[in-house]
Amino acid sequence: MTSSWRILWCAGLSSLLALLASTRCGHSQEREASTDVAVDYQRDVEPILSKHCLACHGPDRDASGLRVDRWKSLLEGGEYGVPAIVPGQPESSFLLHVVDGTSDDLAMPPEGNDPLTSEQVEVLRRWIAGGALVPDSFRQSSEDPKRWWSLQPISPPIVPESRSAIDYLIEAKLHENDLSLSQPADRVTLIRRLYLVMLGLPPSPSEVKTFVNDSEPEAWERLVDRVLASPHYGERWARHWLDVARFGETDGYETNRERPNAWRYRDWVIEAFNRDMPYTDFVRNQIAGDALGEPIGTSFLVGGPHDIVKSPDPLLTLTQRQDELTDMVATVGSAFLGLTIGCARCHNHKFDPITQTDFYAMQAIFSGVHHGESPLPEHYSKTAIEQAAIDAEFQQWQHDVLTHYRNQVAGTIVWPAVDATFNIEVFEPQPARMVRFSIQATNASEPCLDELEIFAGQRQVGLAAMGGVASSSGNYPNNPKHQLDHIHDGRYGNDYSWISDTPGAGWVQIAWAEPVAVDRIHWGRDRKSEFADRLATTYTIELSLDGQTWTTVAGSQHRLPLGSREPSLYDQVGVHVSLAASQETFGQRLNRIRQRYQQLAGAAMAFCGTFSQPPTINKLFRGDPLSPREEVAPDFLEILGGLELGPSASDQERRLALANALVRDDNPLLARVIVNRIWQYHFGTGIVETASDFGRNAASPSHPELLDWLAARLRQHDWSLKALHRELLLSRTWQQSSLPHENGLQRDAGGRLLWRFPPRRLEAEIIRDQILATSGALQHSGGGPGFSAFVVEMENVRHYHPLESYGPEHYRRMIYQTKVRQEQDAVFGAFDCPDGTQIAPQRSRSTTPLQAMNLFNSGFVQQQAEMMARRLQESGVDLETQIQLAFDLTYSRVPAPDELDELRRFTADQGLPALCRVLFNSNEFLFIH
């Protein structure tokens, strides 16, 4: 019997024991809810529960299993997600079934312990049948889940206006512990700390000199503002968020294939931080950016690993999909709410007020989201002016075609023969809510359609992500490449197409909510031109408003036969008067316009997911995909308020509703969680140490009033993260010295009370960037596809071999290094880099021999030491001057006389490259102080 089931047994019942223990210890005994009780609870029921609860775990049982000791937990259930007790209904009470032996899944107490006698079982049965009466005080002790501190409304303390609130609240806690803030750090330490924390790069010697010599009172404030305006700020802070977003540029799992356009999300995050996108917008765009003009933002949802190896085994297929959806739900919960929602996949959450129904309601929001690339709006690859010019030219072509077509003799075939790659159907605008494409003949086998695109002017309608619903005469069975959902998912190619289940025939239909004037349809068999079979050769296209009355607007009757070389409308010259000098045919004009569109859209792809009409989501018994229970509608966590969505809501409607719910004023978690993350990245540890868990199993905040003040301040400043940074940077708490003293070490060795600025080792990326900056090799070019740290063996299962030599293309900042899942940079991966397989809210800070070996002997570091040595040699022939410059570049200070003497002797004996390697390995270089 698993311990988790024992916890279920004990956790719900121990709540009753806790109550009885307290009443025996002198607390007033509460009146029973009824006086005519057949079973006396304290006399008859409590001894049974007490004995057999202890039998499950003994007196040393894990107390963490007792944290759900609430009356509510008995009524709602735990591990199995079913009520343990249904008052008045013993036959429906799971508790009774597990103690009387009638449960197929569980028997309690577990094997090896004395079972309940039939008389004891009868006592429990009679107690439940009588209403499972308990004292009023126990019912009331089942606290409102919102009473947990993180779920309560944000309540900032009142602080003196004349003082920094941060310093006031930090000092208050320090004074309680007979401590105080340390003295301010010197200016050299301050500017170096500022640059490393905020930019991830060291200040140049000239920047240090300018600040040190600036005697104006506003010198620090001006420096802070310049740093916040630097483009390197986004590069530094985006790296933190990418850890939280489990960002990677490969799929993971055994194949670990590359995601060529995943880098766009990295660049999007950098840009969002640099332009100080309000945090609420930042959140909403990552849930529903496709509806908000920021389509790259939804890369967040599909940023996790994805198993692309499929199987005919239905259980494996269902489990893979469950894992994908669980990753989305859990990441949203952890990143934005600080809640471990994923723990409710198989049962109600053990500690937090999150039910299994909550989990599947959240899953229903994302059930239309799939891993994959999507085309981006054209302005991501070319300018909006270019796009508008092509749109105008196409509209003119369409106008000319219709004008010319209307002048043809009725019944004359004027359109060219169908093409396997691309066909366009142009007709007079017709109001419609649905389109049906019916096929009567093909050139071979069952008909195949690759993306049926419907237009009303320049607006595309019917996409799955926009609420379009597809139906068909029948679908090709047992092939994941050819699904009905693919007919309007925005993806091109044979792998994302629909095939009928009938040779030579079939129909497919797309419907949408509101009537629009449809005037154009694009279709093809394979838009990537790889396949030409299964092409529809005889077909009709119809429009309808109600699904009853249909109007034919296009079809093969107006096209030349397949393979015909006869002239068609495309071979005629029909040019608008403004272009009368041109002799292009309609076909030539269309091909030229199509090529220009392809040039615009060719590079505009991003791994931001694909979207379809969400399928029904069911609650799964114990998380088993083969054990579905009741249907669950899309919704938010009950504890944070509902979404009022129906089961027919489109994918985009669901995600947009969630995006708006996350940023509602009555959600206290969003602000608390992000200000805590910001605090963590400044001071090394958050006010709440468990940065992605604000639930009952998490650490308590060290400064709860400060956390709420910061959260309220973020809201007051319109969710500006830069304003929050500025508040922290201007505080005495941030500017104090990091030097230790005996009183502080004795009273608070870990520095949680912040009696000094906490020193800490830099992250891997910043160590590498700092080495490049110091050697003079750093390339500041930002954005675009990253550089690789590996030689990739392009087998079906990718093999990644670390580089053995490096060139200028590898000298960019490490955030631009392609992030390969399950692999690490050969040199800097040893410095606790996340591998991208799961969310990383905090990085560990290990100290290992491999780190020292890599920093001293690796080819990369030796190369950079040689480059830095050449830089020093170029500064002058005097060794002392070279050593002083080396200190200036690495430490931002001059060497002390004893340091200079020792290093002069060392360098004379070992050479400048050895000196550089020593400096690269020193704590002063590797730490923020």
Side-chain angles (χ1 to χ4, degrees):
M1 195 59 57
T2 64
S3 62
S4 60
W5 286 112
R6 298 175 187 178
I7 289 172
L8 166 68
W9 160 255
C10 294
L13 303 184
S14 65
S15 55
L16 306 179
L17 304 181
L19 168 74
L20 293 169
S22 67
T23 58
R24 288 195 302 269
C25 293
H27 296 286
S28 61
Q29 180 70 42
E30 297 287 342
R31 178 180 57 85
E32 291 288 337
S34 175
T35 57
D36 56 345
V37 182
V39 177
D40 180 84
Y41 182 81
Q42 187 170 5
R43 183 193 66 228
D44 301 321
V45 177
E46 187 273 336
I48 299 173
L49 302 183
S50 176
K51 174 183 177 182
H52 292 283
C53 181
L54 292 176
C56 295
H57 285 284
D60 298 325
R61 64 191 183 280
D62 185 352
S64 68
L66 307 180
R67 289 198 177 188
V68 291
D69 54 353
R70 299 188 299 271
W71 175 244
K72 188 170 182 284
S73 70
L74 284 175
L75 300 181
E76 290 185 352
E79 184 84 4
Y80 272 39
V82 295
I85 291 174
V86 182
Q89 300 180 38
E91 69 282 356
S92 301
S93 297
F94 188 64
L95 168 64
L96 201 61
H97 292 302
V98 300
V99 298
D100 70 3
T102 59
S103 171
D104 294 332
D105 300 291
L106 181 66
M108 296 301 293
E111 187 176 350
N113 295 280
D114 293 337
L116 271 67
T117 65
S118 58
E119 291 79 6
Q120 290 171 324
V121 172
E122 177 62 18
V123 167
L124 293 180
R125 190 197 67 77
R126 290 170 56 205
W127 172 62
I128 296 172
L133 299 175
V134 296
D136 289 342
S137 60
F138 176 64
R139 294 179 184 273
Q140 295 163 2
S141 71
S142 295
E143 64 199 57
D144 179 354
K146 279 197 173 183
R147 290 184 60 189
W148 182 244
W149 71 265
S150 66
L151 295 170
Q152 295 178 35
I154 293 171
S155 180
I158 298 174
V159 298
E161 294 185 4
S162 59
R163 297 200 53 192
S164 159
I166 295 172
D167 294 336
Y168 175 81
L169 294 169
I170 290 293
E171 287 185 293
K173 185 63 71 74
L174 287 172
H175 291 161
E176 291 176 6
N177 292 272
D178 197 22
L179 291 167
S180 61
L181 292 175
S182 295
Q183 293 298 310
D186 62 80
R187 284 204 164 191
V188 170
T189 299
L190 273 181
I191 187 173
R192 182 170 175 80
R193 181 189 300 171
L194 176 67
Y195 272 61
L196 291 175
V197 169
M198 298 306 299
L199 305 182
L201 293 170
S204 69
S206 62
E207 289 170 324
V208 174
K209 183 178 180 181
T210 299
F211 175 62
V212 169
N213 294 330
D214 189 344
S215 59
E216 294 294 327
E218 300 83 12
W220 175 250
E221 192 170 345
R222 286 200 305 269
L223 181 63
V224 166
D225 289 339
R226 284 200 301 273
V227 164
L228 288 172
S230 168
H232 299 310
Y233 158 77
E235 294 171 333
R236 171 61 158 138
W237 284 82
R239 182 63 264 171
H240 294 314
W241 184 256
L242 295 179
D243 283 2
V244 174
R246 82 282 189 235
F247 173 73
E249 296 177 75
T250 61
D251 286 326
Y253 291 94
E254 63 267 35
T255 57
N256 211 12
R257 297 282 189 87
E258 56 282 340
R259 295 177 178 175
N261 290 300
W263 58 267
R264 290 185 183 275
Y265 176 68
R266 173 247 294 155
D267 284 3
W268 181 85
V269 174
I270 292 172
E271 181 190 6
F273 279 115
N274 275 335
R275 61 186 168 105
D276 200 20
M277 179 185 290
Y279 184 66
T280 46
D281 291 349
F282 185 66
V283 172
R284 293 174 73 238
N285 288 330
Q286 292 180 86
I287 304 296
D290 52 318
L292 300 168
E294 298 281 355
I296 296 175
T298 58
S299 303
F300 171 84
L301 297 176
V302 294
H306 177 220
D307 189 357
I308 66 172
V309 179
K310 304 306 178 185
S311 166
D313 179 3
L315 176 59
L316 177 59
T317 300
L318 291 171
T319 301
Q320 285 177 323
R321 183 58 179 158
Q322 279 297 310
D323 289 344
E324 293 169 9
L325 293 173
T326 298
D327 172 68
M328 296 179 202
V329 172
T331 303
V332 167
S334 297
F336 300 128
L337 300 173
L339 294 176
T340 54
I341 301 175
C343 293
R345 176 176 176 176
C346 302
H347 50 75
N348 294 341
H349 200 290
K350 292 285 189 182
F351 309 107
D352 301 334
I354 303 170
T355 66
Q356 192 182 19
T357 301
D358 282 336
F359 173 84
Y360 287 101
M362 288 278 287
Q363 191 182 97
I365 293 174
F366 301 116
S367 61
V369 181
H370 306 272
H371 289 77
E373 292 192 336
S374 284
L376 296 172
E378 290 76 5
H379 67 268
Y380 280 91
S381 54
K382 298 292 181 182
T383 68
I385 295 176
E386 290 177 284
Q387 175 66 32
I390 301 175
D391 287 344
E393 187 171 356
F394 183 83
Q395 288 171 346
Q396 187 62 61
W397 180 90
Q398 185 170 338
H399 174 271
D400 292 346
V401 165
L402 284 174
T403 301
H404 199 83
Y405 183 73
R406 283 193 294 265
N407 294 334
Q408 301 298 303
V409 177
T412 301
I413 297 177
V414 292
W415 290 95
V418 292
D419 181 83
T421 300
F422 178 81
N423 300 282
I424 184 169
E425 310 285 349
V426 177
F427 41 85
E428 299 289 350
Q430 299 277 345
R433 286 183 54 252
M434 53 194 72
V435 166
R436 185 164 62 199
F437 193 115
S438 300
I439 303 163
Q440 293 84 39
T442 67
N443 65 348
S445 304
E446 298 88 346
C448 177
L449 288 177
D450 174 15
E451 201 64 18
L452 185 61
E453 296 175 313
I454 308 159
F455 292 89
Q458 294 306 306
R459 175 190 171 197
Q460 186 175 351
V461 298
L463 279 169
M466 299 169 63
V469 178
S471 57
S472 73
S473 57
N475 309 311
Y476 196 75
N478 303 322
N479 193 317
K481 294 181 179 180
H482 307 297
Q483 300 288 319
L484 179 61
D485 287 346
H486 292 165
I487 195 68
H488 61 156
D489 64 358
R491 294 182 288 183
Y492 294 157
N494 182 68
D495 288 355
Y496 304 104
S497 60
W498 168 79
I499 295 182
S500 168
D501 64 351
T502 304
W507 59 263
V508 66
Q509 179 177 307
I510 297 175
W512 55 94
E514 299 297 329
V516 294
V518 177
D519 61 1
R520 176 166 44 101
I521 289 174
H522 297 177
W523 67 277
R525 182 271 179 257
D526 179 9
R527 302 289 279 275
K528 292 187 176 181
S529 304
E530 296 176 355
F531 294 88
D533 60 342
R534 302 180 186 273
L535 174 63
T537 55
T538 305
Y539 65 93
T540 57
I541 298 177
E542 302 167 284
L543 304 182
S544 178
L545 282 168
D546 57 7
Q548 302 297 319
T549 303
W550 293 87
T551 301
T552 299
V553 293
S556 55
Q557 68 271 27
H558 298 300
R559 288 191 179 272
L560 292 170
L562 184 65
S564 173
R565 296 176 179 269
E566 295 181 38
S568 72
L569 182 147
Y570 280 18
D571 298 306
Q572 300 177 33
V573 177
V575 183
H576 187 261
V577 65
S578 63
L579 303 173
S582 171
Q583 292 300 305
E584 281 185 310
T585 65
F586 283 120
Q588 289 169 336
R589 283 173 64 191
L590 179 60
N591 286 336
R592 179 171 53 78
I593 293 169
R594 284 174 55 196
Q595 288 173 0
R596 292 183 65 191
Y597 271 128
Q598 290 169 354
Q599 290 170 356
L600 279 180
M605 298 290 290
F607 197 90
C608 55
T610 64
F611 309 100
S612 64
Q613 181 63 18
T616 297
I617 290 296
N618 296 85
K619 185 176 177 180
L620 302 182
F621 184 58
R622 287 187 284 174
D624 182 0
L626 297 181
S627 301
R629 293 296 191 260
E630 68 273 15
E631 180 179 343
V632 180
D635 211 341
F636 197 23
L637 301 180
E638 182 183 357
I639 196 70
L640 294 176
L643 299 182
E644 299 182 357
L645 288 171
S648 63
S650 71
D651 162 73
Q652 196 174 86
E653 288 174 328
R654 297 178 186 209
R655 290 183 290 108
L656 189 57
L658 174 63
N660 292 331
L662 285 169
V663 302
R664 287 192 307 226
D665 289 341
D666 61 355
N667 176 12
L669 288 168
L670 188 72
R672 282 193 178 116
V673 169
I674 188 57
V675 299
N676 187 68
R677 292 194 195 282
I678 299 294
W679 187 273
Q680 170 187 294
Y681 297 133
H682 276 277
F683 294 102
T685 305
I687 295 172
V688 178
E689 286 187 81
T690 50
S692 285
D693 187 357
F694 276 42
R696 291 177 175 271
N697 206 30
S700 298
S702 60
H703 298 78
E705 289 186 324
L706 175 58
L707 183 67
D708 271 15
W709 186 89
L710 292 169
R713 193 69 165 176
L714 178 64
R715 289 176 164 183
Q716 290 169 6
H717 284 153
D718 298 323
W719 297 86
S720 166
L721 296 183
K722 284 190 176 182
L724 180 64
H725 286 302
R726 195 174 190 275
E727 201 94 44
L728 296 176
L729 295 169
L730 296 182
S731 69
R732 286 180 56 216
T733 302
W734 199 94
Q735 297 173 45
Q736 66 182 321
S737 170
S738 64
L739 294 176
H741 56 73
E742 186 175 350
N743 185 41
L745 293 175
Q746 286 182 347
R747 296 179 179 275
D748 179 33
R752 290 284 284 133
L753 300 179
L754 294 176
W755 51 271
R756 65 166 174 160
F757 184 88
R760 62 187 183 277
R761 197 197 69 212
L762 293 165
E763 306 97 307
E765 294 87 348
I766 310 309
I767 295 173
R768 183 184 188 275
D769 293 350
Q770 192 177 202
I771 289 174
L772 288 169
T774 304
S775 73
L778 181 64
Q779 303 289 319
H780 286 287
S781 56
F787 65 92
S788 179
F790 303 95
V791 174
V792 185
E793 192 175 338
M794 301 295 283
E795 301 289 342
N796 179 51
V797 174
R798 300 292 195 256
H799 301 286
Y800 296 90
H801 306 287
L803 290 176
E804 296 181 358
S805 62
Y806 308 89
E809 68 274 18
H810 304 113
Y811 298 160
R812 301 170 70 193
R813 296 197 68 172
M814 195 171 171
I815 193 171
Y816 298 114
Q817 182 183 98
T818 300
K819 182 65 178 177
V820 178
R821 281 194 168 88
Q822 304 165 187
E823 301 287 347
Q824 293 286 11
D825 180 279
V827 180
F828 299 96
F831 288 87
D832 308 303
C833 280
D835 69 357
T837 57
Q838 58 188 347
I839 183 172
Q842 296 136 305
R843 293 194 184 188
S844 58
R845 299 188 193 105
S846 64
T847 301
T848 69
L850 183 59
Q851 294 168 351
M853 293 290 290
N854 286 354
L855 274 188
F856 205 75
N857 294 325
S858 68
F860 178 86
V861 172
Q862 291 193 50
Q863 179 196 53
Q864 295 304 308
E866 293 282 352
M867 295 177 73
M868 182 177 173
R870 289 194 293 272
R871 183 180 185 184
L872 299 177
Q873 289 167 345
E874 292 169 359
S875 68
V877 296
D878 178 65
L879 181 58
E880 183 172 318
T881 302
Q882 294 170 352
I883 295 173
Q884 288 175 338
L885 177 59
F887 264 64
D888 214 1
L889 293 171
T890 53
Y891 298 158
S892 302
R893 67 174 177 86
V894 297
D898 58 334
E899 291 173 323
L900 186 59
D901 288 343
E902 176 133 2
L903 290 176
R904 188 188 297 113
R905 291 192 296 271
F906 174 84
T907 308
D909 181 51
Q910 300 293 328
L912 280 173
L915 167 67
C916 297
R917 288 159 64 198
V918 167
L919 297 178
F920 289 161
N921 277 267
S922 63
N923 280 351
E924 189 168 353
F925 183 79
L926 297 173
F927 275 65
I928 297 173
H929 295 280

